[in-house]
Coordinates of all heavy atoms in Angstrom, one line a residue:
R313 N -3.2 -37.4 -8.8 CA -2.6 -36.5 -7.9 C -3.2 -36.8 -6.5 O -4.4 -36.9 -6.3 CB -3.0 -35.0 -8.2 CG -2.7 -34.6 -9.6 CD -1.4 -33.8 -9.8 NE -1.0 -33.8 -11.1 CZ -0.9 -32.6 -11.8 NH1 -1.2 -31.5 -11.2 NH2 -0.5 -32.6 -13.1
R321 N -12.8 -28.4 -8.7 CA -12.0 -28.4 -9.9 C -10.8 -29.5 -9.8 O -10.0 -29.6 -10.7 CB -11.3 -27.1 -10.2 CG -12.3 -25.9 -10.2 CD -11.6 -24.6 -10.5 NE -10.5 -24.4 -9.6 CZ -9.4 -23.9 -9.9 NH1 -9.1 -23.5 -11.1 NH2 -8.4 -23.7 -9.0
H322 N -10.8 -30.2 -8.7 CA -9.7 -31.2 -8.6 C -10.2 -32.6 -8.4 O -11.1 -32.9 -7.6 CB -8.8 -30.8 -7.4 CG -8.0 -29.6 -7.6 ND1 -8.4 -28.3 -7.3 CD2 -6.7 -29.5 -8.1 CE1 -7.5 -27.5 -7.6 NE2 -6.4 -28.1 -8.1
L323 N -9.6 -33.5 -9.1 CA -9.8 -35.0 -8.9 C -8.5 -35.6 -8.5 O -7.4 -35.1 -8.9 CB -10.4 -35.6 -10.2 CG -11.8 -35.1 -10.6 CD1 -12.0 -35.5 -12.1 CD2 -12.8 -35.8 -9.7
F326 N -7.5 -38.0 -13.0 CA -8.2 -37.3 -14.1 C -7.4 -37.6 -15.4 O -6.3 -38.1 -15.4 CB -8.2 -35.7 -13.8 CG -6.8 -35.1 -13.7 CD1 -6.3 -34.4 -14.8 CD2 -6.1 -35.2 -12.5 CE1 -5.0 -33.8 -14.7 CE2 -4.8 -34.6 -12.4 CZ -4.3 -33.9 -13.5
M328 N -5.6 -36.4 -18.9 CA -4.8 -35.2 -19.4 C -4.3 -35.5 -20.8 O -3.9 -36.6 -21.1 CB -3.7 -34.9 -18.4 CG -2.9 -33.7 -18.8 SD -2.4 -32.7 -17.5 CE -1.2 -33.7 -16.7
E468 N -7.6 -22.1 -14.4 CA -6.6 -22.8 -15.2 C -7.1 -24.0 -15.9 O -7.6 -24.9 -15.3 CB -5.4 -23.1 -14.4 CG -4.3 -23.7 -15.2 CD -3.1 -24.3 -14.4 OE1 -2.8 -23.8 -13.4 OE2 -2.5 -25.3 -14.9
I469 N -7.0 -24.0 -17.2 CA -7.5 -25.2 -18.0 C -6.3 -25.8 -18.7 O -6.3 -27.1 -18.9 CB -8.6 -24.7 -19.0 CG1 -9.4 -25.9 -19.6 CG2 -8.0 -23.9 -20.1 CD1 -10.6 -25.5 -20.3
I470 N -5.3 -25.1 -19.0 CA -4.1 -25.6 -19.6 C -2.8 -25.0 -18.8 O -2.8 -23.8 -18.5 CB -4.0 -25.2 -21.1 CG1 -4.9 -26.1 -21.9 CG2 -2.5 -25.2 -21.6 CD1 -4.8 -25.7 -23.4
G471 N -1.8 -25.9 -18.6 CA -0.5 -25.4 -18.1 C 0.5 -25.9 -19.1 O 0.5 -27.1 -19.5
G514 N -0.4 -29.2 -21.1 CA -1.3 -30.2 -20.6 C -2.7 -29.6 -20.5 O -2.8 -28.6 -19.8
G516 N -6.4 -30.5 -18.9 CA -7.2 -31.4 -18.1 C -8.5 -31.7 -18.8 O -9.3 -30.7 -19.0
R519 N -11.6 -30.5 -16.9 CA -11.8 -29.1 -16.8 C -12.4 -28.6 -18.2 O -13.2 -27.6 -18.2 CB -10.5 -28.4 -16.6 CG -9.9 -28.8 -15.2 CD -9.7 -27.6 -14.3 NE -9.1 -28.1 -13.0 CZ -8.0 -27.6 -12.5 NH1 -7.3 -26.7 -13.0 NH2 -7.6 -28.1 -11.3
I530 N -16.6 -30.8 -10.8 CA -15.8 -31.7 -11.7 C -16.2 -33.2 -11.5 O -16.0 -34.0 -12.4 CB -14.3 -31.5 -11.5 CG1 -13.5 -32.0 -12.6 CG2 -13.8 -32.0 -10.1 CD1 -12.0 -31.5 -12.7
Ligands
LIG813 P1 -4.1 -26.3 -10.4 O1 -3.2 -25.2 -10.1 O2 -5.4 -26.0 -10.9 O3 -4.2 -27.3 -9.2 P2 -1.8 -27.5 -11.7 O4 -1.1 -26.2 -12.0 O5 -1.4 -28.3 -10.5 O6 -3.4 -27.2 -11.5 P3 -0.8 -28.8 -14.0 O7 0.2 -29.6 -13.3 O8 -0.3 -27.6 -14.7 O9 -1.9 -28.4 -13.0 O10 -1.6 -29.8 -14.9 C1 -2.1 -29.4 -16.2 C2 -3.6 -29.3 -16.3 O11 -4.2 -30.5 -15.8 C3 -4.2 -28.2 -15.6 O12 -4.2 -27.0 -16.3 C4 -5.6 -28.7 -15.3 O13 -6.4 -28.5 -16.5 C5 -5.4 -30.2 -15.2 N1 -5.4 -30.6 -13.7 C6 -4.4 -30.4 -12.9 N2 -4.6 -31.0 -11.7 C7 -5.9 -31.5 -11.8 C8 -6.7 -32.2 -10.9 N3 -6.4 -32.5 -9.6 N4 -8.0 -32.5 -11.3 C9 -8.4 -32.3 -12.6 N5 -7.6 -31.6 -13.5 C10 -6.4 -31.2 -13.1

Side-chain angles (χ1 to χ4, degrees):
R313 308 262 166 116
R321 307 181 305 142
H322 289 89
L323 291 163
F326 64 99
M328 181 138 71
E468 182 188 327
I469 195 168
I470 281 181
R519 297 238 179 126
I530 199 166

